[in-house]
Amino acid sequence: FTGEGRNGKTSTKRALKGEPFNPKETSTRGTCNENLEMLIVEKELVDSKTWKTHIQVPDEYRRAQAQLVARVANKEMTIEQLESEGANVDLVSFLRRKELELTLPVVCGFAKPDKSENKSEDGSEQGGKRRAPQMDREAKMPRTDDDTLGLHELAHLEDLVKKLRKAKDKYAQEEERSNVLALVDEFLAQKSKEQAVILSTWDFGGQKLFFTLHHLFLTPQGLYLVVFNAQELNIGHKINVDGQTETVNQAVQERCLEYIRLWCNSIYLFAPEAPILLVGTHKDKLKEDEIKLAYDTLKKRVIMKTPSLTKMVKSPSTKQRCFFVTNVSEGDPPIHNASLKELRDCIESIAVTQKHVNEKAPINWIAVRDRLNEMDNTGSQRVGLNVVTDIARKCELGSTFSLELEVSAMLQKFHDLGIVLWYDTPWLRDMVVLNPQWLVNAASTVIRDPSLHPMACDEEIQFQMKDKWDRLFESAVLDSELFPLLYPDDQYTDRERYQIAVLLEMFGLI
């Protein structure tokens, strides 16, 4: 969602979710992101009226594997194909050992260990609950005269440690396998082709000083809404500005057109193949002839003069390269709003046909993402590349390509999808941002209007270094002495402060 500030971007997103209009909606600082969920069945959209906020489940990797096993059970794929999808090695080996044609009753049986699973090696029952593999009791080791371990005893101890580790690993594998198989029934009961598509939405702050900040997040794998106040295209129209009635003059119209033109060109520069939807808000404040006049102005002054023309999506009902919507209707819930429904349907139909939405990726990438989400949820907003590489190694990446190559490909895909932020440059590649809002907050610490978005540190900095403060917000010159105050030690390391400076300079922000 892009466009000038206070024109209805956040309200449009709320309306698409079916939420009521909030007349006290605050101005967005920097960028705000949220994941929304829509449902499709066999590539056909389900008319669910609205989107809902997507809740990330902690065991998505297990669920993904269980879904694949269910497909094997339904004979939609083979065990060999399951293995090629990147399923856990132990799970694949277990299914092969069974040497059975997986069917619904069999898979349901896997979820609950049968009697053979509950017997020890000598055939005795173990009480129904699976226990960790038992170690053979070893003979007591003789001691030397000085009560120290001899070479033979040391070797024997090392052998015991190896056996213990092997037993622990085996138990962990069996537990993980059982957790996956226990979920299979859920997917067998579902419609086989039903799945959710997650939209990662980004609401960009509209103040002009935030524009260069947004280049951090523009990606080719996106769909862009350029939102504007349609009233501002009609000179002489009366509009409400912060409770005051004003008349649209040529300066207001030119500013509106400038913002639309700027965004269309910027998106085309960074994402030349991405679809663009022009969205004019406040349709309820305009008559039909005024809407036509607004579109004629937009078409003549922007649409026909921008290189992004061919990427602008047409409204199915009007055939215009613009959607005029109403974000609030008295007595009419958002789900019954025809203008919003057309916009939502169009976004959905475009989204599910995008090439990157249907691309396949190794399933163990999901395992890495689960681990990164866990770290994010526990407060680790950014980690080092070495941490991600270690997680990837444990999740069995690097079996086909080199580990370093696959980790780089995975992080680039995660970056394009908005899951993480990662820049493959010499000074930045060792920083993986798990929560994009952390980088938004870090960058908008210096890219902001202090009068609109004040921070707790502002007063102290102005008192101590007023000249340097004025240079920052009046001339966009950032003095190194301001860094420890803007980015305090209890929130940022020296390395992170340096990386933030490199990033801001790389994108021309300072």
Side-chain angles (χ1 to χ4, degrees), residues 137-144 147-161:
R137 295 186 180 276
E138 300 290 339
K140 185 177 180 180
M141 296 184 294
R143 293 287 184 182
T144 59
D147 200 32
T148 59
L149 291 175
L151 292 177
H152 172 72
E153 294 166 307
L154 184 59
H156 191 62
L157 181 60
E158 289 177 349
D159 185 53
L160 283 175
V161 171

Side-chain angles (χ1 to χ4, degrees), residues 290-307:
E290 291 176 319
I291 294 175
K292 183 179 183 304
L293 178 61
Y295 180 72
D296 289 343
T297 301
L298 179 65
K299 181 179 179 181
K300 180 180 179 181
R301 302 285 299 279
V302 177
I303 294 176
M304 300 307 296
K305 294 185 177 181
T306 177

Side-chain angles (χ1 to χ4, degrees), residues 242-269:
D242 296 328
Q244 302 293 322
T245 300
E246 295 184 5
T247 301
V248 176
N249 54 30
Q250 187 172 356
V252 173
Q253 184 192 67
E254 288 296 333
R255 186 192 67 210
C256 178
L257 292 169
E258 178 192 357
Y259 270 85
I260 298 171
R261 188 182 301 112
L262 186 151
W263 271 113
C264 288
N265 291 340
S266 183
I267 293 167
Y268 187 77
L269 175 64

